[in-house]
Amino acid sequence: MRKRASSDRETPIVRRREVLGLPAALACGSAVLTGCGAVQQVGNAATPTPAPTPEQMPVTPPEDLMREHGVLKRVLLIYREGIRRINAGEQVPAQPLHAGAGIIRTFIEEYHEQLEERYVFPRLVKAGKLTDTVPVLVQQHRRGRVLTGRILDATARPTPQQARRDLVTNMAAFIRMYEPHEAREDTVVFPAMRDVIPPKEFAEMAETFEDEEHRRFGAAGFTGVVGQVADIEKTLGIYDLKQFTPRV
């Protein structure tokens, strides 16, 4: 399982299968239960059995996908900062924008969206759910890849004046499309997964997602990608969360 915070980077990864394979009584907290977190009775002795820690709890597929949307949202903030600087006549922050678009390409488009298109959307369509929404989401994935390609090309080298305008246009179009896109998935698509995927397949899907994540992004997985985004934010001076608090 991916680690929950950067401070845990040296903690061994606990696989979802290790938690999901626990006996139900252990996962609940005891073998003889009067309620979760009760005491295990062994002969005449009472031995408390610890419940899994938060770091050991399995991450469900919807939670997985929604947290990955958090990475997307943070790159959209990076794009917004790039647009602000270009519109203000400042130098194009080409390297940070290129790095942000690279994360969109590798983590969102080639990983996150592939999970959606392979494991989520087909199950919804087969169940007759969101049949009008899914084709739009797939089309937006394809359009997003075109825009990302343009952003990567424009930030790979010094940006001439015309390219600056095109870069702003492409980043703005990406933001405009993906803000409602991810909001619709978080509030409608991902909740619907529980209606169409049996519990056993739901657990297996969580394991599949984790295996693919670590295959592509190494042991750090999601946490490592979040760290990359944070580094870009620091370069642009937009990492400190306090700066976004309005004065009222």
Side-chain angles (χ1 to χ4, degrees):
M1 173 177 294
R2 65 178 59 136
K3 287 164 271 187
R4 294 277 177 163
S6 58
S7 61
D8 298 327
R9 287 180 180 176
E10 297 182 358
T11 303
I13 295 172
V14 180
R15 308 292 290 175
R16 288 192 184 94
R17 64 172 64 94
E18 295 172 3
V19 178
L20 296 174
L22 290 171
L26 176 59
C28 197
S30 73
V32 178
L33 301 176
T34 57
C36 286
V39 173
Q40 180 183 14
Q41 302 294 335
V42 181
N44 295 325
T47 304
T49 302
T53 65
E55 290 78 10
Q56 294 174 321
M57 294 302 292
V59 178
T60 66
E63 181 187 358
D64 230 342
L65 296 168
M66 288 178 183
R67 296 201 305 180
E68 289 159 10
H69 275 178
V71 171
L72 171 60
K73 291 173 183 175
R74 289 175 72 166
V75 177
L76 296 186
L77 291 174
I78 290 168
Y79 283 0
R80 286 190 185 281
E81 176 62 14
I83 292 171
R84 185 196 68 76
R85 293 189 182 195
I86 295 170
N87 287 342
E90 300 178 23
Q91 182 177 356
V92 177
Q95 186 173 358
L97 292 177
H98 192 79
I103 290 172
I104 292 292
R105 173 54 50 88
T106 58
F107 187 72
I108 298 300
E109 296 172 349
E110 295 179 350
Y111 167 65
H112 170 89
E113 291 180 351
Q114 293 299 317
L115 294 181
E116 292 176 336
E117 293 179 10
R118 183 173 181 182
Y119 297 102
V120 180
F121 296 166
R123 282 174 166 83
L124 294 172
V125 172
K126 183 177 180 181
K129 287 183 172 289
L130 305 177
T131 54
D132 294 334
T133 302
V134 167
V136 176
L137 297 174
V138 173
Q139 183 185 47
Q140 290 180 341
H141 285 176
R142 293 171 181 165
R143 298 283 172 85
R145 290 162 197 158
V146 172
L147 293 172
T148 298
R150 292 175 181 174
I151 295 167
L152 286 169
D153 289 344
T155 55
R157 59 189 66 86
T159 311
Q161 189 62 37
Q162 180 58 47
R164 288 164 62 100
R165 291 194 292 269
D166 292 342
L167 176 59
V168 167
T169 298
N170 288 320
M171 289 192 295
F174 192 93
I175 294 168
R176 176 175 171 78
M177 180 172 69
Y178 268 96
E179 285 182 335
H181 177 101
E182 64 181 359
R184 189 66 58 91
E185 288 184 336
D186 285 347
T187 58
V188 177
V189 176
F190 299 157
M193 292 170 64
R194 293 184 180 275
D195 297 332
V196 302
I197 302 175
K200 183 176 183 296
E201 290 184 32
F202 206 72
E204 292 171 350
M205 184 179 293
E207 195 63 28
T208 297
F209 284 10
E210 183 189 31
D211 287 343
E212 183 65 12
E213 173 191 313
H214 292 296
R215 184 183 73 81
R216 288 176 177 263
F217 305 106
F222 171 81
T223 302
V225 176
V226 171
Q228 294 175 34
V229 175
D231 288 341
I232 300 171
E233 293 169 338
K234 291 172 184 176
T235 298
L236 292 171
I238 59 171
Y239 176 76
D240 187 357
L241 193 60
K242 295 192 297 292
Q243 68 186 286
F244 298 103
T245 307
R247 295 186 179 183
V248 296

